[in-house]
Amino acid sequence: MQSLHSQALAHLESLKKDSNYRTLTPQKHNGLTLTTQDSTLLNFASNDYLGLSNNTDFNIRFLDSALFKDHCHFSASSSRLLSGNFEIYNLLEVHLKTLFGKEALLFNSGYHANIGVLGALSALNTLFIADKSIHASHIDGLKGFKKPNLKRYTHNNMEALKYLLEENAQHYDSIVILSEGLFSMEGDFTPLRELVALKEKFNNVYLYIDEAHSIGGFGENGLGLCAHLNLLEKIDFLVLTFGKALSSVGACVLCHRVFKEYFINTARSLIYSTALPPINIARTLFAFLELPKLELQRTHLAHLSRHFKTLLQKELDYEILGDYNIISLVLGENLKAVHFAKTLNKEGYFAPAIKSPTVQKNKALLRFSLCANMQEEQLEALCVVLKKISNATL
């Protein structure tokens, strides 16, 4: 029998052989660039879609605000269910209810929200039908139960989803469809109107939409895809995360009052976690209040996204994915994706290879995360480098 140490070592060697080994490298950040031990690189791996985390004017206005001064506590020191339920949590939840028309419940991250909410719902007689490109945290939320009722459908394939609904609707008290507003790897939108139309054919189907990558950066006032399409009332569970375009930390689920009370009593990631520091909650509320003023950034981001995708499609003979601020270059093999990423590093760009299990095997890619403080010229220069790497690789 192998020792625990030997088993772990063998697994690591297997990952290295498959070009799928991960490491942590210390970094320093300065605006759009990050610096490692030996190089300064233009960062295409950040989800700071509106460029707010290093926006001096935005940050100064937050530091000068009453929100910062009145809620400047650097630790909650407790779970919300004990002594950590500071006033600012309620202020943010009330504001979110005003914006989205649903009760809001805060979590420490999108991961905490998904594992807590889906874990709690898994205790009920529920079937989950998930897009195959759904985020890992959704799947992890269902793994806590011995026999999770889970079926998958091919990415954004509404015919496959319709078949699964028709086949299973009569056998479960409820069915929850899991999808993302804007998918984190493919960068495409879910066909939300079609999802809603399918939902409404049944009386026991619920929609669970994760807008981690669309909140803040997309739609009128930056309120995401569901609000943009005026479909908020059709969405039963809406997850928003605050660590990307909103330049803060944390997440929430928006839902019916009964479900909020249910999650307060059953979501383990909420019950057993020290709450986020109040200062971070104040930062999130400040960001939501500022979103209507950031239309220029969203317009520029949309323009950059169209421009970059058009350039890549014109110059490269690879599949190019993405509908908005996430543009992906599908390379297939892990080794090829790693080669592209390492060569980009040498040319001054940071775009790590994305490999399984983040994406399906043989679907390794480079993911370019665009931010509103980038310029056309930077993307055009990157495209020239990518074409050079591609020509040398073929």
Side-chain angles (χ1 to χ4, degrees):
M1 295 181 66
Q2 285 188 313
S3 68
L4 193 64
H5 179 273
S6 297
Q7 293 177 64
L9 187 60
H11 183 71
L12 291 174
E13 290 302 319
S14 176
L15 291 174
K16 290 178 182 178
K17 184 177 180 181
D18 196 31
S19 300
N20 207 9
Y21 182 73
R22 291 165 169 80
T23 60
L24 291 173
T25 303
Q27 304 164 351
K28 293 181 180 179
H29 290 256
N30 182 19
L32 288 171
T33 64
L34 63 82
T35 302
T36 61
Q37 287 181 333
D38 53 4
S39 55
T40 296
L41 310 170
L42 188 59
N43 185 7
F44 282 91
S46 170
N47 296 324
D48 183 23
Y49 299 128
L50 295 179
L52 297 181
S53 65
N54 287 288
N55 184 314
T56 301
D57 176 67
F58 185 86
N59 291 329
I60 288 175
R61 283 191 286 115
F62 171 59
L63 295 176
D64 286 340
S65 70
L67 281 171
F68 174 79
K69 295 171 183 175
D70 293 345
H71 304 284
C72 191
H73 299 273
F74 291 96
S75 176
S77 304
S78 176
S79 162
R80 286 184 72 185
L81 289 165
L82 296 176
S83 66
N85 194 32
F86 286 69
E87 176 190 24
I88 188 64
Y89 297 97
N90 183 63
L91 292 177
L92 176 55
E93 288 175 343
V94 168
H95 184 67
L96 291 170
K97 181 180 179 180
T98 300
L99 291 177
F100 294 95
K102 300 177 186 296
E103 294 289 340
L105 181 62
L106 300 179
F107 286 83
N108 284 12
S109 68
Y111 193 93
H112 282 83
N114 285 322
I115 63 172
V117 168
L118 292 174
L121 291 175
S122 295
L124 309 176
N125 182 26
T126 301
L127 172 67
F128 297 88
I129 302 182
D131 188 296
K132 282 192 175 180
S133 292
I134 209 74
H135 193 265
S137 58
H138 300 88
I139 304 304
D140 289 354
L142 301 173
K143 282 182 177 179
F145 290 79
K146 293 181 180 179
K147 293 182 179 180
N149 296 317
L150 173 64
K151 295 183 184 293
R152 311 289 293 275
Y153 62 93
T154 308
H155 178 54
N156 277 346
N157 186 332
M158 294 299 98
E159 285 300 315
L161 173 58
K162 179 182 177 183
Y163 173 79
L164 289 172
L165 289 171
E166 292 174 344
E167 187 180 52
N168 293 281
Q170 296 181 350
H171 304 297
Y172 292 88
D173 292 338
S174 57
I175 293 177
V176 177
I177 301 171
L178 304 179
S179 188
E180 297 184 36
L182 179 67
F183 282 87
S184 59
M185 292 297 120
E186 289 84 354
D188 53 357
F189 291 107
T190 192
L192 191 61
R193 289 192 179 94
E194 295 178 56
L195 283 178
V196 168
L198 281 176
K199 169 196 168 176
E200 293 187 329
K201 292 180 181 293
F202 305 88
N203 59 13
N204 63 337
V205 174
Y206 299 80
L207 272 179
Y208 187 108
I209 305 295
D210 189 331
E211 292 231 47
H213 293 271
S214 38
I215 186 64
F218 180 79
E220 184 178 359
N221 293 328
L223 296 183
L225 180 68
C226 298
H228 180 70
L229 296 179
N230 295 315
L231 292 172
L232 283 170
E233 65 180 23
K234 306 294 185 180
I235 312 303
D236 302 286
F237 306 98
L238 179 60
V239 175
L240 310 177
T241 65
F242 313 142
K244 298 177 176 64
L246 293 168
S247 73
S248 185
V249 64
C252 73
V253 60
L254 294 146
C255 56
H256 189 278
R257 175 185 56 80
V258 170
F259 286 118
K260 177 176 178 176
E261 293 177 8
Y262 176 68
F263 298 142
I264 289 171
N265 285 275
T266 59
R268 295 173 66 85
S269 62
L270 171 74
I271 296 169
Y272 298 110
S273 289
T274 298
L276 287 176
I279 192 171
N280 295 122
I281 306 301
R283 168 76 175 196
T284 300
L285 179 51
F286 179 81
F288 269 105
L289 292 170
E290 292 287 308
L291 277 182
K293 305 174 186 176
L294 300 171
E295 193 58 34
L296 286 177
Q297 286 89 334
R298 286 187 288 272
T299 300
H300 184 59
L301 181 59
H303 169 73
L304 289 177
S305 304
R306 290 190 298 268
H307 183 60
F308 187 51
K309 185 176 182 180
T310 299
L311 284 174
L312 292 179
Q313 289 176 325
K314 179 181 178 182
E315 299 293 343
L316 300 178
D317 191 23
Y318 289 101
E319 184 181 9
I320 310 298
L321 305 177
D323 292 336
Y324 199 59
N325 49 290
I326 299 167
I327 306 295
S328 292
L329 172 63
V330 181
L331 296 167
E333 303 168 7
N334 284 355
L335 190 60
K336 181 180 285 189
V338 169
H339 169 70
F340 266 70
K342 287 183 175 179
T343 308
L344 281 176
N345 270 201
K346 294 176 183 177
E347 297 284 349
Y349 299 95
F350 187 73
I354 308 296
K355 303 161 289 186
S356 64
T358 306
V359 293
Q360 296 179 32
K361 287 187 176 180
N362 302 318
K363 288 288 186 179
L365 53 83
L366 293 187
R367 174 187 183 272
F368 298 98
S369 184
L370 306 186
C371 301
N373 49 341
M374 291 177 174
Q375 301 302 322
E376 283 186 16
E377 294 78 11
Q378 294 171 313
L379 303 182
E380 291 164 358
L382 170 59
C383 193
V384 170
V385 173
L386 286 169
K387 185 176 181 180
K388 182 172 69 173
I389 300 172
S390 177
N391 290 339
T393 304
L394 295 176

